[in-house]
Amino acid sequence: MLRLRNLNAYYGGIQALRDISLDVGRGEIVAVIGANAAGKSTMLACISRAMDSFTGEISFDGRRIDGLPPDRIVDLGLVQVPEGRLLFPRLSVRENLMLGAYSRRCRAGCAERIEEVFGILPKLRERASQLAGSLSGGEAQLCAIGRGLMAAPSLIMLDEPSLGLSPIAVKEVMALVAAIREKGVSVLLVEQNARQSLRLADRAYVIENGRVAMQGAGSELLEDAVVKKAYLGL
Amino acid sequence: MEQIAQVLVSGLLSGGVYALASVGLALIFGVVGLVNFAHGEYLMLAMYIAWLAYDLTGASPYASMPLNLALMAVAGYLTFRIIMARVINADHSIQMLITLALSMALQNLALMLWKADYRTVRIEMTNQVIDAGFLVISAPRAIAFAVAALASLLLYLFLQRTWAGTAMRAVAQDGRAAVLMGISLRRVYGQAFVIGTVLVGLAGLLLSPIYPVFPLVGAGFSTLAFIVVVLGGLSSVPGAIAGGLLVGVVESLAGYFAGPAYQQAAYFLLFIVVLIFRPEGIAGGRGGERRR
């Protein structure tokens, strides 16, 4: 349902992405792994149109979206949960969730959807009126993903959801990713934590220096000698 | 004792209008990240509109309020579309130059259109007072305070209770994240700028029965609004309201104890003291000035 073809992106004169082509099918979990600064977040920035300086084709549900403004892309159900969570620190957890449903399509059902998200993430209900800035790292990540789900996405893009979390919190996040897919939402999972994400993913891409270096089934890459050496530390 | 009460009350009354004149500046700085040195010129424009309406038709500034606020909204919208939208992402120094230039252009436009004369709006109410026993309050000042308080309350409810207001607070905290929520920054910036302009315009029209109108009247209020906003913590709306009231009271006390000549000196002194001991302002968090 998400299709990238020959995506090239630039920061000033520096090329950050080179001919990236990638697909995410309906109901799939697709992982993108790679070292820091390989271009993973840049790719998501292009898809969400948080940056402009790129060329190539991006389509979603069969229509081109690379010319659309960011709010239209969210409106179509393609939602990004950014690296570092970027919660609104001086708004309450409930207000953060509400803003996830800002797009016109979602506002009417906002109250019911908050209940739904609290159903999946009961911890957030306890913290509903607390300021988001006071959450622990793990809770903040769950809140950020909850905020993404508020937009009723058909595809959710998670940028480094396990970054900086304790092993227990990482497990919790990964379980949530699996649960999201069970609800029929496709997931594009961008991670440095290669082992966890390859285990969870149906398919995966390895990005090196802005290019797709390898792709295949998650389990296949998990066994690949090069991946093992470079990303799994084996 | 009664005199002190009188002094405090008149300080609070002026402070309410100062707060209203400043809160828009805090909103524009907090949400749009724009340092607007032309803020006071919109107060001047609204005062001239109130005076023109009075001069041409005899209408009081309260009667011409709907027209005045509508024209201020249009002025704010055009300023944003034509000028501000182009410098939103520019360096603060560029924004300052642009808004300073705008301020001068508007002052000279007023000079060209209406001359340098002091114009006054003399409605019947100008000289009426409300006599509450030991307190005597001039009627236009009481109205100005009441309307300013109501406008502040409405602004607060707007920011807390509506989608657009919540989006504004979100943009003020993290514009990058707000984009990913599907919030259009340009639209929110425009709304904040228009609301800020209308609020300072409201302050201007409320002042018009009390204060003479002349092309440079806004300059003094720009300085005042900057002091109020810095006292309040730059981008904090409640901080600007507290700062406005504080400046009003300090000004009034200084006028009573030291003489009218020291009124401005007193709040400048307060300003310097606060900057030394609490540079983040009364209500501001640390780093409020470094949002981007």
Side-chain angles (χ1 to χ4, degrees), chain A residues 4-9 17-20 43 46 54-55 58:
Chain A
L4 310 187
R5 287 296 174 269
N6 304 101
L7 192 63
N8 289 280
L17 296 180
R18 290 170 197 274
D19 284 326
I20 298 258
M43 182 181 83
C46 294
F54 65 87
T55 61
I58 305 174

Side-chain angles (χ1 to χ4, degrees), chain A residues 95 98 102 107, chain B residues 27 31 150-170 187-196 199 237:
Chain A
E95 286 175 322
M98 252 183 75
Y102 178 85
R107 286 190 199 179
Chain B
L27 188 72
V31 175
L150 181 67
S152 306
L153 179 70
L154 288 177
L155 175 66
Y156 176 81
L157 291 176
F158 167 76
L159 288 173
Q160 295 293 326
R161 302 280 168 81
T162 67
W163 279 101
T166 310
M168 248 174 229
R169 287 186 292 144
R187 173 181 303 189
V188 171
Y189 289 161
Q191 287 168 347
F193 195 85
V194 168
I195 291 172
L199 289 173
V237 164

Side-chain angles (χ1 to χ4, degrees), chain A residues 136-152:
Chain A
S136 74
E139 289 166 345
Q141 187 59 56
L142 297 181
C143 183
I145 297 176
R147 187 177 65 174
L149 292 175
M150 288 296 295

Side-chain angles (χ1 to χ4, degrees), chain B residues 5 47 78 126 146 149 165 185 197 212 225 242 250 270-271 281:
Chain B
M47 288 182 86
L78 291 179
T126 306
L185 289 185
T197 307
V250 166
L270 169 75
F271 179 59

